[in-house]
Each structure stands twice: as C-alpha cells, then as structure tokens.
Amino acid sequence: MPLFEIANAAVVRFESVTFLGRNQEGSDVQLLDGITFSAPGGEITAIIGPSGGGKSTLIRLVNRLAEPAAGAVFLGDSDIRDIDPLQLRRQVALVPQKPFMFEGSVLDNLQMPFLYRHQTPPTSDSAEVRQVMSLARLEPDMPQRNARSLSLGQQQRVAIARALIAKPQVLLLDEPTSALDRRTSDALAATLREICHSQNLTMIMVTHDLRLTEKIADHCLYLESGRIVEQGRASDLLAYPMSEELKRFLAEPSEQEDGNG
Amino acid sequence: MDNQGLAHMGLLDLALAYGLVLLAIGLARLERIGQETQMLWASLRMVFQLLAVGYLLHFVFAVKSPLPVLAILIVMGAFSLQVMGGRIKRKMPRFYQVMGSSLFIGCGGVTFLFCSLVVHYSPWYDPRYLIPLAGMIIGNSMNGASLAAERLGAEMRERREEIETALCLGASARQASKTALRNAFRAALMPTTNTMAAMGIVSLPGMMTGQILSGTEPMVAVRYQVAIMCAITGAVAITAYLILLQGYRHYFSKAHQLNPIDN
C-alpha cells in the first residue's frame, strides 16, 4: 500500500459525508448531513458553530475514530478507508478537548507512540523530544515531571507535543483553548500558527473561540445542526457573515465567552 | 452407600439438629427482627433441595454410560451461565457467546486433564468423581469469570478517554485496552489467590472436612484438597483469560474504533 510520499502538505477532503449517532432514547439521529469541504494543505481550517452541531464528530471522522454512514473522507488522493487505520492515525493526529495524560512522566507520555509501534523510544535529550518540546513551548525540565500533576494548559501542550512527535501530516484539534485563560490561550494560538507554518502541517481545529479563529485560522466552516451553513476565508466569514445563522452566532456573546472558559 | 467411617446419624439426631434452627428462629422472634418467616422458609428449602439432590445423585451415581454424565455436566455449565447472566447487569457485547465458550474450554479442559492425569479412576466418566470435581471447578471458575466480565465492562466504560487517546496515537485495540485487561485479569484471580493463602489457617476447606468426617485419612484428604485447589486456580485463570481475550474485541470495530456505548 502506497504511503504518502508527497512534498506538499496533505489536503483533507470531505465528500457528502453523513454521520448517524444515537440519542439518549437509543434511536438513530443524523449528526452530520451532506458535509462537503476541503481543508487546504499547510493551512489552518477552523470549524465553528454552537455546541451539539457536530463539530467534534466531524474531526473524529478524519482519523477514523468513527465511521461515516455515507460519503467519503480523503487524505490527499486516497480514501481513508483504503489506508490501514493504525497507519492513518500516525499521519493524522488528534488532540482531544480534554487531554488525557498517561500515568508517569511527560517523557513517558511522549514515548507512547513509539511503544505502540514497537520502536525504540527517544530519550529526553534526543532531537525528537527536544524539537517537539520547543514547538509546544514546554520548559526544558518538563520531561522528568509527573504528567498528571501539570496544569491544564501544560497538559494541553504536552498533548500537542505527544501528537507531533510521530511527525503527522495533519493535526486535528478539538477545542484547544477551552480550558485555558485568555493569556495562555493567546500564547497557544501563536504556538499553533508557528507549528503549522514551520512543519507544513494541515490543521483542522474545532472551536467556540472566535478570537482564536480570527487570530490564526485561514479558512472557516460554520456548522449548525450537522450542516455546513457557510464556509470561506476566515477573515471574510467573520467580517461579512451572509447567513442569518452565522450572524446570530457571531452576535451571541455567550458562545464567545465559552471559548475562553 | 458405604459409610463405615462415618458415625451413624439417625432421623432423630437430624431432628435434634433442626432444633438448633428453631432456636435461632425463636431468638429472632424474641428480638423482633422480622425475619422469622424467611428463616423458617429458608431452612425448609434447604432440607427439600438437599433431599432432592441426594436422590438425584443416588440415581446419577448408578449411571454406567458416559453420555448421561456429560449431559449433566452441560446442564451444570448452562446453569452457571444463566446465574452469571442474571448477576451481571451490564453485559459485554456477545456475553453468552464469550462466557459460554471460555467456560467450556477453561473448565472442560482443566477438568478433563485433572481427571485423566491427576486423579486416577476408571471408567473416566465415573459420576462419583467427575460430577463433584467438575462442580467444584465450574463453581469457582464462575466467580472468576463473572468478576472478569464485570470488571472488563467497567474498565471499558471508565477508560474511554484513555483508550481513545491511545488509539489516536496509533495504538491497536489490544494495546489501547492493555490496562483495562490487566485490571480485569487481576480482579478475576484475586479471590482464588486469597483463598489459597488463607487455606488451612482461616478456613478448613469443605471438601477436606467432608472427606475427614467420612473417615478418610487426613493426609489423603489434604492431597486431594491441594490438587483440587491447583485445578481450580488453573481453570479460573484460563477461563478469565479467554473471556478477556475474546471480550475486549467486541468493544471495538475491525478498524480499531471504540464502539459507542450501547446501554
């Protein structure tokens, strides 16, 4: 099976994707409906919209944590179903909203992706560890610290470093700033922007945070009730919303507050 | 039946013993704990159930061909499956398939090896040996099996975040459930380990006590007890291991996706 030997950053493309979930009564509900879009390689695409609109579900389809009911997701030219799922998740990393830290030190956490692959894990003074530590702006003494005793902001950064250490082509972020205060969130935004450009990474991030979107996103999708209501360049979308739904969302203060936790 | 070693116990003696139950019921009545009827009912049930099983065994022990004995073992296994199914509220996916096959291989295999290699008797299906030995092995494995299944289900629910994080980092379903599987296996082995460690000091095991009462030389009874404990430990471990090995897979799809919670 051909792996992705491409110099250009990978494009993620959705084609008429539908996703069925189950509600509390146990019946099927359509959580995503006819989703078609393209996240350009090497750029940041933000997915915004009210809670329960299907945003988190959407990115879980990119690394195949979940399976669409209809339609297809492409990475470059390949349908992701044609790629071995374990291989795919090495190319497409996902950082969940609430970072989970494995027991042990930060270094133990950074080593996990290598252990899963039966590879010799890098040591704390290796180039790999040092590179992701500096990309995620983690202090040099961090590898030795107990991962679970760190602050949420630090854990979020460790989760990003842990995702980057496998050298993915696509980075998916679910509400990266939801647990952070404004200052930490601004710092993380700058970090993400820099990582995206320096590593030629394709980023898709789900967020409530309009400030974050404004600051770093190149593209933007507005998702409500499982449908894409509007999409386009982030700056245009936020400055000149066309649809009533997006106008209402942008005018709603609580949604923006939510993003800054 | 031969009971040369056993002191004779007549019906009158039994009635005297039953007097102790009546005494207990009287005490309960005096203190108005409101359980007298249940106690009386339970004691009567005990007498009738044991009488019934005694008559049943009387006929079963007379059986001289393997098929009826095997059928009885299957009924015992099915009954233990049903008990486990009733005891565990949140069942793992394909509960009966996983539990049934594991119990069959784990208990069946160990019972067969134990009876043919360790305890020498003939014919191999002699119900006097096979049924009580298999009963002890199945009964104990049932506890280990239900602990394994229950704990696996709980771990898979509690550790969703951990498991999905591992999957995101490229772990296989097996790698992602490693901690869950380890904890469930530990829980399954705990009671047998504790029983072995306490044996002889905290408790005198029932089988050994029974053999001694019926006139068996204590050292012979001890040998039997050690051997049966070893068989039980092996059966519990194999059954629980098979349950976990098959069970965790049903929480995932073929593409290493953690399935949504069903209940």
Side-chain angles (χ1 to χ4, degrees):
Chain A
M1 181 177 305
L3 292 181
F4 287 86
E5 294 295 337
I6 35 174
N8 294 328
V11 178
V12 173
R13 197 156 50 86
F14 275 58
E15 262 185 33
S16 321
V17 169
T18 299
F19 181 82
L20 297 179
R22 209 163 289 166
N23 64 9
Q24 276 156 346
E25 286 88 57
S27 51
D28 281 341
V29 279
Q30 198 154 352
L31 294 180
L32 291 173
D33 181 13
I35 302 290
T36 300
F37 76 95
S38 195
E43 298 191 356
I44 300 180
T45 300
I47 300 173
I48 60 169
S51 330
K55 306 192 297 291
S56 301
T57 306
L58 190 151
I59 57 168
R60 286 165 57 85
L61 299 178
V62 185
N63 74 342
R64 264 188 107 192
L65 276 185
E67 205 72 35
V73 181
F74 294 87
L75 180 62
D77 294 325
S78 305
D79 186 326
I80 59 166
R81 280 170 296 196
D82 296 334
I83 308 170
D84 170 52
L86 302 187
Q87 208 54 255
L88 173 74
R89 290 180 197 142
R90 282 153 208 183
Q91 295 163 28
V92 180
L94 187 150
V95 179
Q97 178 168 12
K98 210 173 130 219
F100 178 88
M101 294 289 115
F102 292 102
E103 227 170 279
S105 66
V106 170
L107 182 65
D108 291 330
N109 272 272
L110 295 178
Q111 290 178 334
M112 292 310 278
F114 297 87
L115 298 176
Y116 292 141
R117 251 154 270 187
H118 308 289
Q119 291 167 348
T120 323
T123 55
S124 58
D125 52 1
S126 66
E128 287 109 314
V129 169
R130 279 205 299 227
Q131 193 201 3
V132 294
M133 297 275 298
S134 85
L135 279 174
R137 306 258 170 83
L138 290 165
E139 296 83 31
D141 71 322
M142 198 56 99
Q144 268 52 260
R145 293 178 53 186
N146 180 347
R148 289 193 175 164
S149 67
L150 301 177
S151 72
L152 261 179
Q154 288 169 319
Q155 290 191 6
Q156 188 69 259
R157 282 166 185 278
V158 172
I160 290 171
R162 189 174 62 188
L164 290 174
I165 203 162
K167 302 201 188 310
Q169 301 171 345
V170 179
L171 183 63
L172 310 167
L173 299 153
D174 194 352
E175 300 281 4
T177 57
S178 65
L180 310 179
D181 59 52
R182 182 171 278 236
R183 205 167 55 89
T184 324
S185 140
D186 284 352
L188 184 71
T191 311
L192 290 175
R193 172 101 241 169
E194 195 189 302
I195 292 171
C196 177
H197 288 163
S198 70
Q199 306 300 305
N200 201 22
L201 259 178
T202 306
M203 257 189 217
I204 302 177
M205 68 178 187
V206 159
T207 185
H208 271 103
D209 187 346
L210 293 176
R211 264 165 45 82
L212 177 70
T213 308
E214 206 164 17
K215 252 194 178 112
I216 67 170
D218 301 297
H219 302 272
C220 187
L221 307 180
Y222 176 67
L223 201 68
E224 192 179 311
S225 314
R227 290 165 179 274
I228 297 179
V229 180
E230 244 181 276
Q231 57 177 310
R233 296 218 58 91
S235 48
D236 296 345
L237 217 69
L238 296 180
Y240 312 106
M242 309 281 284
S243 62
E244 286 310 310
E245 289 95 329
L246 180 54
K247 281 178 191 164
R248 209 181 313 125
F249 178 75
L250 294 178
E252 179 73 63
S254 71
E255 292 289 351
Q256 295 163 48
E257 287 308 310
D258 251 15
N260 287 326
Chain B
M1 272 177 217
D2 68 318
N3 47 4
Q4 318 99 306
L6 194 58
H8 181 75
M9 192 187 285
L11 277 181
L12 200 70
D13 307 315
L14 254 185
L16 209 58
Y18 195 77
L20 289 171
V21 172
L22 293 178
L23 178 76
I25 293 172
L27 280 175
R29 174 143 215 163
L30 195 71
E31 287 301 315
R32 295 173 201 282
I33 62 167
Q35 278 197 0
E36 305 92 291
T37 332
Q38 276 126 296
M39 283 175 78
L40 187 67
W41 180 235
S43 67
L44 290 176
R45 268 190 73 156
M46 169 189 74
V47 172
F48 280 113
Q49 284 170 7
L50 288 180
L51 273 178
V53 104
Y55 274 113
L56 187 70
L57 287 177
H58 183 76
F59 288 113
V60 166
F61 286 177
V63 166
K64 294 282 181 275
S65 71
L67 277 181
V69 178
L70 288 180
I72 289 168
L73 292 186
I74 300 273
V75 169
M76 282 164 65
F79 190 71
S80 75
L81 257 187
Q82 196 234 324
V83 170
M84 285 191 286
R87 199 192 291 175
I88 297 173
K89 285 156 279 140
R90 289 175 154 178
K91 295 184 186 57
M92 65 164 92
R94 305 202 201 176
F95 179 83
Y96 288 101
Q97 182 196 321
V98 170
M99 302 297 272
S101 59
S102 306
L103 209 65
F104 185 75
I105 300 172
C107 296
V110 167
T111 306
F112 178 74
L113 286 178
F114 185 70
C115 291
S116 59
L117 298 179
V118 181
V119 190
H120 305 281
Y121 62 86
S122 72
W124 62 270
Y125 58 82
D126 186 349
R128 246 200 136 93
Y129 287 92
L130 191 51
I131 286 179
L133 289 175
M136 276 191 283
I137 289 172
I138 294 175
N140 282 277
S141 299
M142 198 175 87
N143 288 330
S146 45
L147 280 170
E150 195 152 37
R151 191 57 189 269
L152 181 67
E155 294 274 331
M156 290 313 248
R157 273 192 305 279
E158 282 160 22
R159 293 183 184 273
R160 286 190 78 80
E161 255 183 82
E162 173 178 348
I163 290 169
E164 289 216 320
T165 301
L167 291 175
C168 283
L169 295 172
S172 64
R174 175 82 190 263
Q175 289 171 324
S177 8
K178 197 174 143 198
T179 318
L181 290 174
R182 193 195 289 145
N183 287 347
F185 197 41
R186 188 180 295 148
L189 291 180
M190 191 75 83
T192 322
T193 314
N194 288 344
T195 309
M196 281 198 290
M199 197 148 276
I201 299 174
V202 183
S203 65
L204 270 189
M207 183 183 84
M208 200 173 100
T209 317
Q211 279 185 305
I212 292 173
L213 276 179
S214 65
T216 308
E217 185 60 31
M219 284 319 287
V220 175
V222 163
R223 277 193 217 172
Y224 266 87
Q225 187 61 45
V226 169
I228 190 71
M229 271 318 290
C230 296
I232 286 170
T233 308
V236 168
I238 294 170
T239 308
Y241 190 75
L242 289 175
I243 287 170
L244 298 175
L245 208 62
Q246 298 185 72
Y248 89 89
R249 284 169 217 265
H250 298 313
Y251 287 92
F252 294 89
S253 74
K254 285 219 167 60
H256 302 271
Q257 295 157 332
L258 185 57
N259 294 332
I261 300 176
D262 263 334
N263 41 6

